[in-house]
Amino acid sequence: MTREIDFAEIRPETAADAHAVRALLLDAFESAAEADLVEALRRDGDLALALVAVAEDGLAGYVAFSRATLAGRPALALAPVAVSKGRRLEGVGARLVRAGLRELEAGFVGQVVGLGGVLWYDRFGFTPAPGLVCRWAGPHLMALPLGAAPKAQGALVYAPAFDAF
């Protein structure tokens, strides 16, 4: 059962957050891969939106939306979503994703794609995307159209930083 908690804020990541975001990603994934990915996306200018959940004791969570293309049109990849181990099952990840999608709805037209389970992503409106061609394509590739985006089909290309992931 998920219990919601209050945060001081959910806000855009700043340059001053970089060290704390890396520590959070290392804690959440027990690997440097996701932390290295975020740093590469940041360095390459491919982070379209990154949000942090700030609690009284530091960062509780992080979400990134990076640039991608789908059939030559702009798209965004939702990854990673990270929650510190001590904050799991509190709704942190879901609140971050919802906040990010609300912000994107204000001006982005295109598909947002995520790689993960239907049971988690469907709560945000994502649906399986069998029409996508991608090296990670399969039953866990999900898509959510924002604005007047066309159906999710065609070649999906992630930002170059994902090539090393």
Side-chain angles (χ1 to χ4, degrees):
M1 180 167 187
T2 301
R3 62 183 170 87
E4 295 268 340
I5 62 166
D6 290 324
F7 297 101
E9 64 183 325
I10 290 179
R11 62 167 172 75
E13 172 191 40
T14 67
D17 295 320
H19 181 72
V21 166
R22 182 170 183 85
L24 172 75
L25 292 167
L26 291 170
D27 174 61
F29 293 103
E30 298 182 348
S31 162
E34 287 80 2
D36 293 346
L37 171 65
V38 167
E39 288 175 354
L41 290 167
R42 198 183 289 129
R43 178 192 65 235
D44 296 346
D46 284 329
L47 278 179
L49 177 64
L51 301 175
V52 293
V54 183
E56 50 289 336
D57 59 346
L59 293 188
Y62 177 82
V63 66
F65 295 85
S66 61
R67 289 177 179 75
T69 60
L70 175 57
R73 294 187 170 117
L76 295 173
L78 168 55
V81 178
V83 177
S84 66
K85 288 180 185 172
R87 297 286 187 165
R88 294 197 176 146
L89 301 177
E90 295 179 351
V92 176
R95 289 182 64 192
L96 280 163
V97 171
R98 284 188 184 102
L101 292 173
R102 275 193 308 273
E103 188 164 327
L104 293 171
E105 285 174 345
F108 178 74
V109 175
Q111 297 288 331
V112 178
V113 297
L115 185 61
V118 172
L119 295 176
W120 199 77
Y121 280 98
D122 70 345
R123 72 179 82 179
F124 310 111
F126 285 81
T127 58
L132 297 183
V133 178
C134 177
R135 69 179 177 157
W136 295 306
H140 299 293
L141 191 57
M142 310 286 287
L144 172 68
L146 295 181
K151 183 178 178 181
Q153 58 185 10
L156 173 64
V157 179
Y158 281 76
F162 280 90
D163 292 340
F165 189 65

